[in-house]
Amino acid sequence: QVHLRESGGGSVQAGGSLRLSCVGSGATLEHRCVAWFRQDRGEQLEWLAATASFDPARVADSVKDRFSVSQNNADNTHYLHMNSLTPEDTAMYFCATTYSAASAGSCSRLSGDYVIWGQGTQVTVSS
């Protein structure tokens, strides 16, 4: 069973940048979809990005000019790079993955399609 752990969140001023990490343990993430979501208090989960070895990285239109994703298979780690942060980016950020590996298809944007989640990392952007 794979486990995920996010890190890299914190408090930053508007205009700043953060890089969030999602480290997998227990199994390789290389052939799984890994997605990033965020949730502000009382709001629904918002899909931000997803990537897999068999599916090009996709980033939500709402953040694609500022956010990007990358991965380091050797470290079994995925990253969410966030630039030009605004107070509206304040939220808990999660990475998630699927139960099993795959070799084809498209990574879902639906939170319900991901069954393994990290504990989240808080991002707070002040004006």
Side-chain angles (χ1 to χ4, degrees):
Q1 174 87 359
V2 64
H3 299 279
L4 301 177
R5 185 173 184 86
E6 304 95 335
S7 63
S11 297
V12 63
Q13 289 192 324
S17 299
L18 285 173
R19 186 186 74 169
L20 305 185
S21 300
C22 174
V23 179
S25 61
T28 179
L29 298 177
E30 185 171 0
H31 301 296
R32 299 171 185 262
C33 287
V34 174
W36 289 91
F37 294 84
R38 68 184 177 186
Q39 185 175 37
D40 197 6
R41 287 175 294 179
E43 300 293 326
Q44 290 186 332
L45 282 165
E46 177 186 8
W47 175 80
L48 298 173
T51 188
S53 59
F54 51 82
D55 191 27
R58 305 172 192 273
V59 181
D61 288 343
S62 60
V63 298
K64 67 180 180 180
D65 293 335
R66 301 183 295 120
F67 291 10
S68 63
V69 291
S70 65
Q71 61 190 91
N72 183 330
N73 292 330
D75 292 339
N76 212 27
T77 301
H78 282 243
Y79 300 98
L80 178 66
H81 306 266
M82 307 187 295
N83 299 311
S84 302
L85 288 163
T86 74
E88 289 68 36
D89 294 315
T90 295
M92 183 73 78
Y93 285 70
F94 300 90
C95 62
T97 191
T98 52
Y99 179 77
S100 58
S103 60
S106 297
C107 294
S108 173
R109 303 184 180 199
L110 302 177
S111 60
D113 289 337
Y114 296 90
V115 296
I116 299 171
W117 292 74
Q119 83 290 348
T121 186
Q122 177 68 37
V123 172
T124 302
V125 185
S126 58
S127 58

